Amino acid sequence: MSAIRQQPDPEVTVLVDTAQAEAPAQAIEDVARPGSDRAAAIRALRTRLSLLGDTGEGALERAEHLVGLAERFGSHPFTPLEQARRLLGVDRAAFAATLDLFGRIPELATAVQRAPEGKYWTNTILPLERTGALDAVVHGRPAFPYSVGLYPGPTCMFRCHFCVRVTGARYDASVLDEGNAMFASVIDEVPDTQPSTVYFSGGLEPLTNPGLGELAARGGRRGLDMTLYTNAFALTDRTLERQPGLWSLHAIRTSLYGLNDTEYEATTTKPRAFRRVKENLGSFMAERAARQAPLRLGLNYIVLPGRADRLMDLVDFVAELNEHSPGRPLDFVTVREDYSGRDDGRLAADERTQLRDALRDFTAYAAERTPALNIDLGYALESLRAGVDAELLRITPQTMRGAAHPQVAVQVDLLGDVYLYRESGFPELEGARRYIAGRVTPTRSLHDVVREFVERNPHIEPRPGDEYFLDGFDQVVTARLNQLEQDIADGWAAHRGLLGTGGTA
């Protein structure tokens, strides 16, 4: 009886080949993470280099340099390329070749984004790169802003201790009609290609504006995905009845200032505020479910000194809210440090250690008790959870930009004043008026204000304390723009910023 030769199963072969290909790719993608197998990544990169035709002398060193770049920009995203070259110890020709290779191996870009400070890349830098807004700033081209904050609130019911608002400062009710008409004109001029550009926030509470619902409805009719940032104290059934346009919003993000009445009053000076906010959110979730409204609802929780151990209670709070709407739970929670840089917002060293452990327990507990919840730990807390205590980026007056970045972001208040930084748009705030680019009027659009400001190219000389006008987003944008301009000045325009679009005039 003759033997029958067994043919290989093609499906098995494909699986084996895929597994063999995935393992080296995974080693490269994880190389900038703590505890990664650096040697495995270098071996994988040598294989990739050979496939790209790079088999010559020094291939091992080039692979090591590629890993070094991924590690550097994964933990120090705003490193100028010339500094990175000096750290590698190579000449300009060798570094240019390394940068070319880096761009041809996509797993290296993934490694940077998965690294301890990868949130800087994924949350802010790369989305901005894709829009061209950063290049518009670098090359001085006017453009409609990537982000437009409308600040419609005439007042606020809270007086939070970390807020820069001047006590008692507010807008007179007489400006509401003209102000809301001005906001409507801004909504109307947003390009159709930028549906997520506009959000409602501000130095004062947006829900204190009785015309907010009409503005939200106007944006909804245009197909804009508008987000409301609120303290939710006025997010009552009565408000929703009077302002049904609020259901046209894409999302509502509620700032949570504690997890009981005592914490809330200590932060906001408002008695029994927590109880009311919790009731408002629960009622809103039940109504949202009944309406089958697509609007997303989430919380923003700032870890204040003395409260690093409260994250587990935050999960319980979310679970209790979900009981109001079992089939439509809370969508997201963002957890942040105080980004102001002020001493009263900084966590002590021992508390940061406590927070590191708490973040791990928090995410594990949330996955168990609120599995549908999306959690975003932001720039530095994600690093801390991974075991790397990364310092928050801090822009100083010396590193502030004299003309800011209006092609990227501006904020417009009830008077039509266009502010250059997110924390400067508060009435009567000392020094803030220097950061007004211009005013929107019936004959002067927001695009006109930005264009005239960019063409004028003024230099606002920063003063000590001006850095507090920048929130976390402004600080990242400023650091990135400084980095890009340094790269271009150093002759690295074609590769500026490592991961990006490259410089175009």
Side-chain angles (χ1 to χ4, degrees):
M1 184 176 178
S2 61
I4 300 176
R5 185 172 183 178
Q6 186 174 1
Q7 298 297 317
D9 186 334
E11 292 187 2
V12 172
T13 302
V14 169
L15 289 174
V16 170
D17 290 345
T18 301
Q20 290 174 342
E22 285 178 351
Q26 189 72 38
I28 298 172
E29 291 175 347
D30 288 341
V31 70
R33 286 180 166 180
S36 67
D37 189 339
R38 197 174 194 271
I42 291 172
R43 288 195 299 271
L45 280 168
R46 290 196 67 182
T47 300
R48 294 300 303 275
L49 291 177
S50 67
L51 293 174
L52 292 174
D54 182 4
T55 57
E57 184 180 353
L60 172 60
E61 186 177 44
R62 282 188 287 279
E64 292 172 342
H65 289 164
L66 291 171
V67 168
L69 277 179
E71 292 171 334
R72 178 67 192 181
F73 283 86
S75 57
H76 299 84
F78 306 104
T79 302
L81 286 174
E82 186 61 21
Q83 180 183 346
R85 182 188 71 81
R86 291 196 299 268
L87 289 170
L88 289 182
V90 297
D91 61 27
R92 290 182 64 89
F95 190 58
T98 301
L99 291 175
D100 286 335
L101 289 170
F102 195 98
R104 297 175 67 188
I105 302 174
E107 292 89 347
L108 288 168
T110 301
V112 171
Q113 295 169 60
R114 288 185 177 182
E117 300 207 11
K119 287 290 184 180
Y120 285 109
W121 293 100
T122 58
N123 283 15
T124 305
I125 296 173
L126 293 179
L128 281 173
E129 286 283 359
R130 287 190 284 269
T131 69
L134 295 174
D135 273 332
V137 180
V138 168
H139 298 293
R141 295 194 301 263
F144 195 85
Y146 164 86
S147 173
V148 177
L150 302 185
Y151 287 9
T155 187
C156 186
M157 64 288 293
F158 291 167
R159 185 62 189 97
C160 300
H161 67 76
F162 56 80
C163 180
V164 300
R165 176 169 70 93
V166 176
T167 300
R170 55 181 298 164
Y171 296 94
D172 193 272
S174 63
V175 306
L176 280 172
D177 288 344
E178 288 187 6
N180 287 342
M182 176 272 303
F183 286 139
S185 72
V186 173
I187 290 171
D188 289 346
E189 70 170 304
V190 175
D192 293 336
T193 55
Q194 297 181 215
S196 302
T197 286
V198 175
Y199 66 94
F200 297 108
S201 184
L204 303 172
E205 170 53 42
L207 284 173
T208 60
N209 186 323
L212 180 61
E214 294 180 11
L215 294 171
R218 192 182 194 95
R221 288 192 294 270
R222 284 215 53 209
L224 303 185
D225 297 330
M226 304 172 78
T227 295
L228 167 64
Y229 292 74
T230 175
N231 60 36
F233 188 85
L235 191 65
T236 62
D237 293 340
R238 187 177 179 85
T239 297
L240 292 168
E241 289 171 4
R242 290 179 170 180
Q243 303 194 56
L246 293 172
W247 292 106
S248 301
L249 290 165
H250 171 69
I252 293 179
R253 188 184 295 264
T254 297
S255 298
L256 199 64
Y257 299 119
L259 292 167
N260 56 48
D261 276 323
T262 301
E263 289 181 349
Y264 245 74
E265 186 169 0
T267 300
T268 69
T269 71
K270 189 80 169 179
R272 297 178 296 280
F274 170 77
R275 195 175 317 169
R276 175 162 167 170
V277 168
K278 183 178 180 181
E279 290 173 356
N280 287 348
L281 291 173
S283 179
F284 181 88
M285 291 178 68
E287 180 65 16
R288 181 181 68 159
R291 288 172 171 263
Q292 297 184 332
L295 188 156
R296 289 168 54 79
L297 180 67
L299 305 174
N300 184 54
Y301 184 78
I302 297 178
V303 180
L304 296 174
R307 299 185 189 174
D309 61 347
R310 300 286 278 136
L311 289 174
M312 304 294 276
D313 296 318
L314 176 59
V315 176
D316 292 334
F317 175 75
V318 172
E320 291 172 14
L321 286 180
N322 288 345
E323 293 173 4
H324 293 270
S325 175
R328 185 74 195 285
L330 195 78
D331 294 290
F332 59 89
V333 166
T334 60
V335 181
R336 299 287 187 266
E337 291 183 77
D338 180 354
Y339 225 109
S340 70
R342 292 177 170 81
D343 290 339
D344 61 356
R346 295 179 185 272
L347 300 181
D350 59 341
E351 194 168 11
R352 290 190 64 80
T353 301
Q354 181 185 14
L355 178 59
R356 179 195 61 203
D357 297 334
L359 287 169
R360 294 173 181 169
D361 294 340
F362 163 65
T363 51
Y365 186 41
E368 174 188 339
R369 187 157 190 214
T370 57
L373 185 66
N374 180 274
I375 296 174
D376 183 351
L377 298 180
Y379 303 132
L381 292 186
E382 184 64 43
S383 302
L384 187 61
R385 184 175 73 94
V388 179
D389 193 0
E391 282 291 323
L392 277 173
L393 174 68
R394 300 293 184 195
I395 294 297
T396 66
Q398 290 72 37
T399 54
M400 287 177 66
R401 302 173 56 79
H405 43 254
Q407 301 97 317
V408 175
V410 296
Q411 294 65 231
V412 188
D413 76 353
L414 264 168
L415 302 178
D417 287 332
V418 180
Y419 287 84
L420 296 171
Y421 295 120
R422 293 187 178 189
E423 295 294 321
S424 61
F426 290 73
E428 302 179 28
L429 186 61
E430 183 179 358
R433 297 197 63 81
R434 293 185 301 115
Y435 292 98
I436 294 176
R439 176 172 286 190
V440 178
T441 68
T443 60
R444 193 180 186 207
S445 69
L446 175 59
H447 191 273
D448 290 337
V449 171
V450 173
R451 176 179 52 78
E452 292 168 11
F453 181 85
V454 171
E455 290 176 350
R456 193 167 72 248
N457 191 28
H459 180 81
I460 304 169
E461 189 63 34
R463 300 171 183 169
D466 283 2
E467 67 271 24
Y468 298 133
F469 294 144
L470 284 68
D471 76 344
F473 177 84
D474 288 324
Q475 296 196 45
V476 172
V477 172
T478 300
R480 179 63 170 180
L481 289 168
N482 290 344
Q483 174 191 34
L484 299 184
E485 290 186 345
Q486 186 63 57
D487 286 348
I488 293 170
D490 289 336
W492 298 110
H495 301 283
R496 95 288 182 282
L498 187 70
L499 305 185
T501 61
T504 55

